[in-house]
Amino acid sequence: MSDPMRPPVSHHRPQTTSPRSDPSRPRASLRTAVVWDVLTDAFDRRVKATGREALDVLDTGGGSGNFAVPAARLGHRVTVVDPSPNALFALERRAAEAGVADRVQGVQGDAHGLFDVVERGGYDAVLCHGVLEYVDDPAEGIGNAVAALRPDGVLSLLAASLGGAVLARALAGHFKEAKRALEDPNGRWGEGDPVPRRFSAEQLTALVEGAGLRVAAVHGVRVFADLVPGVLVDTEPGALDALLKLEAAAAELPAFHSVATQLHVLGETQGAAEA
């Protein structure tokens, strides 16, 4: 019997265009390029290890499909779990426009009740992007994401960085807010802060390891992108490409993790690490 929560297998030829190469979304590539490069490499390694061309990917909090649709364009089957009906409607439309509606399934739900809508242990990769900032218990959120993995699966974790928020408030001249974020247990700069929680690289890696995974890589995301004036990127010839290369070069260096806007951690199960 087929799993109703999993998208059907596609018989169409997968497309290989990545968010970085999408000419209609040049600025968006600054926000996704580093993570997408890590993900595509992880997907490729899982494909080689499993011998299957298409992976089963779970995107928790995947919204309108910023990563789900490109992953489907590579030929993978993607289930997106998100609490917002509007986001899921946008996902459906976006997947149809990209020609991958048969490989993308949207399901309404959240990290707390994840297994009310998807199966345990059924996915080769789980994306947990922009979720831990909003859940009541980050350890539970990570635990559920890991429980959805197969024995040889990988976890992609993306969360807001404490250091990046402190730097951004200070550079904007909001020094009291910067200090408050630095001292606040959740990294919040004030009552008007829209982000409930931020993390350091050490906190995120501890959560991943506490859930039983091996940390395969840690990257800083948007180290410079949010600090560079948009007009420079949009008008200076070659600036976007140069900034993308700079982001990629700085992303792996621990010295820049503390000033990045977001942090990305790739975790592997023991089976994936040994493959």
Side-chain angles (χ1 to χ4, degrees), residues 1-274:
M1 182 175 178
S2 62
D3 177 6
M5 292 296 109
R6 179 164 305 155
V9 177
S10 169
H11 299 288
H12 296 293
R13 185 187 229 15
Q15 303 174 39
T16 58
T17 304
S18 76
R20 173 180 288 190
S21 61
D22 185 345
S24 66
R25 305 174 66 240
R27 291 298 301 279
S29 62
L30 287 173
R31 305 174 70 89
T32 62
V34 168
V35 179
W36 182 246
D37 285 349
V38 176
L39 274 181
T40 52
D41 180 67
F43 289 161
D44 288 346
R45 285 187 282 111
R46 295 270 85 290
V47 165
K48 292 177 182 177
T50 61
R52 291 183 282 109
E53 292 185 1
L55 303 177
D56 294 307
V57 179
L58 175 64
D59 189 352
T60 63
S64 61
N66 287 339
F67 287 94
V69 170
R73 293 176 73 175
L74 293 178
H76 305 305
R77 299 177 291 266
V78 188
T79 299
V80 175
V81 176
D82 196 278
S84 169
N86 290 337
L88 293 175
F89 177 77
L91 167 71
E92 182 179 359
R93 182 175 58 190
R94 188 173 184 176
E97 291 173 350
V100 295
D102 58 340
R103 292 195 292 275
V104 176
Q105 174 78 41
V107 181
Q108 189 171 3
D110 57 30
H112 176 71
L114 187 62
F115 299 114
D116 293 336
V117 294
V118 301
E119 65 173 310
R120 292 178 180 268
Y123 298 90
D124 301 291
V126 173
L127 314 188
C128 187
H129 295 174
V131 173
L132 291 194
E133 298 94 326
Y134 300 95
V135 298
D136 292 333
D137 185 347
E140 180 193 36
I142 286 290
N144 284 347
V146 172
L149 287 171
R150 288 174 174 152
D152 55 352
V154 295
L155 170 72
S156 174
L157 173 62
L158 183 67
S161 165
L162 167 62
V166 173
L167 180 62
R169 301 315 290 175
L171 291 179
H174 303 301
F175 307 123
K176 291 182 179 179
E177 292 180 350
K179 185 173 183 293
R180 181 168 176 176
L182 187 62
E183 297 172 345
D184 186 82
N186 292 318
R188 303 188 75 233
W189 49 255
E191 295 301 321
D193 191 338
V195 180
R197 187 184 293 107
R198 295 183 177 88
F199 302 87
S200 66
E202 292 75 18
Q203 289 173 322
L204 289 180
T205 55
L207 283 168
V208 170
E209 290 173 342
L213 299 187
R214 182 186 78 89
V215 174
V218 179
H219 291 84
V221 180
R222 291 152 57 193
V223 175
F224 307 104
D226 291 349
L227 304 177
V228 175
V231 64
L232 188 154
V233 177
D234 293 335
T235 61
E236 186 71 21
L240 176 61
D241 186 59
L243 182 54
L244 281 168
K245 291 178 180 178
L246 177 61
E247 288 280 352
E252 293 187 63
L253 301 178
F256 291 98
H257 292 170
S258 60
V259 296
T261 298
Q262 293 176 303
L263 293 165
H264 182 252
V265 179
L266 186 72
E268 296 179 335
T269 64
Q270 187 62 35
E274 294 174 351

